[in-house]
Every structure is written in C-alpha cells, then in structure tokens.
Amino acid sequence: MPTEYFEARERALLGERYEALYAAPSEKPARGVTVNRLRMTREEFCARVEFAVEPSPFCSMGLLVPDPTVKLGRHPYHHAGAFYSQEPSASAPAELLDVRPGHKVLDLCAAPGGKSSQLAAALGGEGLLVSNEYDSGRAVILRQNLERMGVPNALVLNETPERIAKALPGYFDRVLVDAPCSGEGMFRKEPQAMAQHNQGLVEHCAELGREILDAAAVCLTEGGLLVYSTCTFAPEEDEMQVGAFLERHPEFELLDCGVEYGCAGEKNRCGEFQYAVEKTRRIWPCNGGEGHFMARLRKNSRGEGEKDARLKPQKPAKTCKEWYAFAKQSFPTLAEMPVTLLDDMVLLAPPELPALKLHILRAGVLAGSVQKGRFVPAHHLFTAFGAQCTNREELTLNDERLAGWLRGEEIDAHAAQNGWCCVTVDGLPLGGGKVSGGRVKNHLPKALRNLG
Ligand code: SAM
C-alpha cells in the first residue's frame, strides 16, 4: 500500500489516470539483465543462455527475464561479467548519454554500478570512466562490480561531487547524475522504500539532487552532455528539479530524449517553472519497468566564472621487474604497458589519468603485487585481460568442474600448464588459478564464491 502522502499527491496530479499509470502488467517486480558488450553481443548472449529472455524496450543491450526463479547472481555468466542484473527501466538513462570510445565520462552517483557498467561498455576500453560513489561501503561494491565486468579504464572514487567539481572542472564529455532519490519506483521491488517514504524525504532528496547537479554542471566541458535520472515520481525531484536547474544554468539546453518508450514529462508537475518539459521522459509502472525519470541536457557554453581544470600529468611510469618477468610469460600483450606502483601494488592505469588529490579506490586495473620478490597476480588482472592470458583452463557451461570452481574448489587441469592460468567459461574469464600436479588451485576471492 502506498503512503497516504504519495497517493494523495499522485491522485491530485493524475486524476483518473492514477490507476492506469501505476498499474503494472504483472504483480511481480520486473527483472532484467544488461549484457556486457565488453564480453559479447546481446545476440550471442541470447543464443548461449539456457533461461528465457525477451528484448527490453529500454536499452539496446537489455533483456527481460520473465521467470522469477532464475538465480541470476549465481549464474556462471554473472561471475564472468557477461551481464549485470538490472531492473529493466534502470538501464535506460546510460544509453541517453551517447557515449563513444575515447570519451571522458563521469558517473557521479554510481553504486552499485549498473549504469557505470553500461558506460564502460560503451567506451569499449578507450577513454576514461570516472565512477564515483559517496557512501564508502557502497563504493567498495561498485569497485567489485566494475572488476567483475572486466572494466580496464575506470577510476573508482569515494568522494563528494563538490570535491570532484573542484578537481576536474570542464574535464568531462559526458556526465551522468543518477541521483539518490525517494525511490517511489522501488515500492514494489523493495517494500522498505515504501516504509521509509514521506514528504520530508522527497524534500531532502530534491535538495541533494540540486547540489549534485550543480557540481555536475561544473565538471562538464562545453558541448558536453548531461543526463539526470531518478527512480522516483515526485515532481520536486523530477520535472521541478530540471526546471530549477535550467533557471540556475542558462548555459544548458534541454534536449529531447529521442526515445519511443515511456511517456513525456508532465506540465502540471513543473510548479513555477515553464519549459519544454515534454522533452523529459517518464517510465511509469504501466510501461513495463518499475519507474524512472530522465532528462538530457547539453552545456552550450561555460558557466559564470568557470575555468577548465589545470591538471598535472601523472608521474612518469615506473618499471617493475617482477611484473615484467611475469607478464612476458603469461600476458605478453601487456608486458610493455606503463605501470603505476603504489606500495607493493602494480596498477595498469588508463593513460588519460591525471594526478589527482581525491580518494581513489581503484585506478585502472590492479595487476597484482610483489610479495617476497615474486609477482602475485590479482583477480582483476584476470577479469580484465584473462582472454589474453597464454595459459588457460577452458570450461563450458556443461563442464562438470564448473560448479565446483565457482564454489571455490580445486579442479583437475585438462589443458593448463604448471603456473598461473586463467579459468574461463565459454571463453569468458572467471578468475585466476595456479596449476600444479594436474590440479588448478582456486584463487577466486572468497566473497565471490557460490556458497550455500
Ligand atoms: N547509478 C547507480 C546504478 O545504476 O547502479 C545507482 C545510484 S543510486 C540511485 C544513488 C546513489 O547516490 C547511491 O549509491 C547513494 O549512496 C549515492 N549518494 C547518496 N548521497 C549522495 C551525495 N550526497 N552525493 C552523491 N551521491 C550520493
């Protein structure tokens, strides 16, 4: 049951349309996956998985999963980063940003990482994704998800949007603000979102969204695109938020979302703000997802007093003989790449990355560390570059060793030689193992295993 405040507000705004717009085609929350283009195409995915999928209207890599009993999080392809399990309408905003390989992209509110994964896939490994999460615990989950998806060129931050705006003004071609919101589109999926909901929360989220949007405006370069989205229906966080932003930021122009799904934003939700609100987009529960609001904006000129970032380049890359010896044998395509050394850690950082005084959780790929004079590879090296590993133990979905491997067990080696190897499923990297005496010792991090 929606709260009294919600129902009274929406009935007043929608009149007789209330029942129809909030009526969903099924009683169960909509479920879906977004296929990771860094791993395979949507067509390949459909042909390979054994569960039923249907095309999603909300994004080119999205699929609906009608069977609620499919355990998506335990599927081997999930471990291999072939898909992100995502509420279907939540996959819509990232694609509106029109990200191209080579862009510099900022996702300001990124955890747990569904939209960041889509942005990274659109970059195809070229350019830079700065993926930020304000909450430290959620930032760790974001880092793990981007690692699982094999993203090689992300900078994962745990920062405030204001500090990022100070450090990187005018730096990005694309910025996504998927704002912390009152979550009215989550009522069916997460009943606690309904229990916590009230007018005060809506007002608080609207204020937060406003601050984040102002920081986003500073981060964007001239001609760059900003997408603002929420998974709520509250006018203060949606149409009114965009109207107020356009008033504060005349350097921005509202663009049409250019999509067929959902419905146009609504005039009677704009409060005092008069603008072409029909260019914004709403996905109501009756449109097939749980609910989203989106606006697409272009920055046509600099804001008042704005200057571009004056960035210092990273310190010259170092060499690490232990990494070099390991890479030459196991990852020869990576051996000549410049590395960044941080204490005993070896990182393959994106070349675009400037030196930054921000709270960084991950810069590029953690290749591994030097321990007692030897290089020990990290899980991330295998998820990002496992296909390039010269020593591989290749499993298939039907291989009886697969379930054991995902539980963290040792398996028989059929092809891999002694030493470090990458274990794959249908060619997709699952992680690293160490072969000795015909067995592959499992190095899948404990937290990622299929237990219970
Ligand atoms: N984009 C994410 C995805 O697709 O997986 C979902 C983001 S969720 C809607 C909003 C995020 O904003 C939450 O992870 C929340 O912790 C974060 N957040 C909370 N307060 C914030 C603040 N003051 N500034 C920036 N982000 C904040």
Side-chain angles (χ1 to χ4, degrees), residues 239-252:
E239 284 94 338
M240 279 161 75
Q241 180 80 284
V242 173
F245 177 81
L246 287 166
E247 242 182 53
R248 291 197 305 282
H249 293 276
E251 73 276 20
F252 276 82

Side-chain angles (χ1 to χ4, degrees), residues 314-359:
Q314 288 274 16
K315 287 189 188 134
K318 298 196 176 148
T319 49
C320 170
K321 61 179 189 320
E322 294 86 354
W323 154 251
Y324 187 73
F326 170 83
K328 241 176 89 182
Q329 190 181 353
S330 300
F331 290 85
T333 49
L334 306 178
E336 304 300 334
M337 267 176 82
V339 295
T340 305
L341 302 181
L342 198 65
D343 302 325
D344 62 350
M345 286 186 292
V346 179
L347 291 149
L348 301 168
E352 286 80 1
L353 197 64
L356 292 169
K357 284 194 179 132
L358 291 171
H359 187 202

Side-chain angles (χ1 to χ4, degrees), residues 97-176:
L97 263 185
D98 189 24
V99 169
R100 307 285 169 89
H103 274 157
K104 293 194 205 93
V105 183
L106 170 63
D107 186 356
L108 266 175
C109 314
K115 296 176 187 73
S116 263
S117 307
Q118 292 175 272
L119 300 172
L123 285 174
E126 291 172 41
L128 178 68
L129 171 66
V130 175
S131 192
N132 177 62
E133 171 54 41
Y134 175 84
D135 179 285
S136 57
R138 288 172 65 84
V140 171
I141 296 170
L142 169 67
R143 176 180 63 66
Q144 288 170 343
N145 273 327
L146 294 184
E147 187 168 308
R148 176 173 65 81
M149 307 301 277
V151 176
N153 55 338
L155 176 71
V156 181
L157 300 179
N158 172 212
E159 269 298 350
T160 66
E162 295 73 22
R163 276 172 50 87
I164 297 174
K166 261 200 186 139
L168 293 164
Y171 184 73
F172 294 96
D173 306 297
R174 301 286 186 264
V175 178
L176 177 64

Side-chain angles (χ1 to χ4, degrees), residues 6 15 34 50 87 131 223 272 308 333 394:
F6 173 83
T34 310
E50 68 291 3
E87 189 279 296
S131 192
E272 78 234 57
D308 283 352
T333 49
E394 299 189 325

Side-chain angles (χ1 to χ4, degrees), residues 41 64 124 134 212 214:
T41 64
L64 309 176
Y134 175 84
I212 299 169
D214 286 347

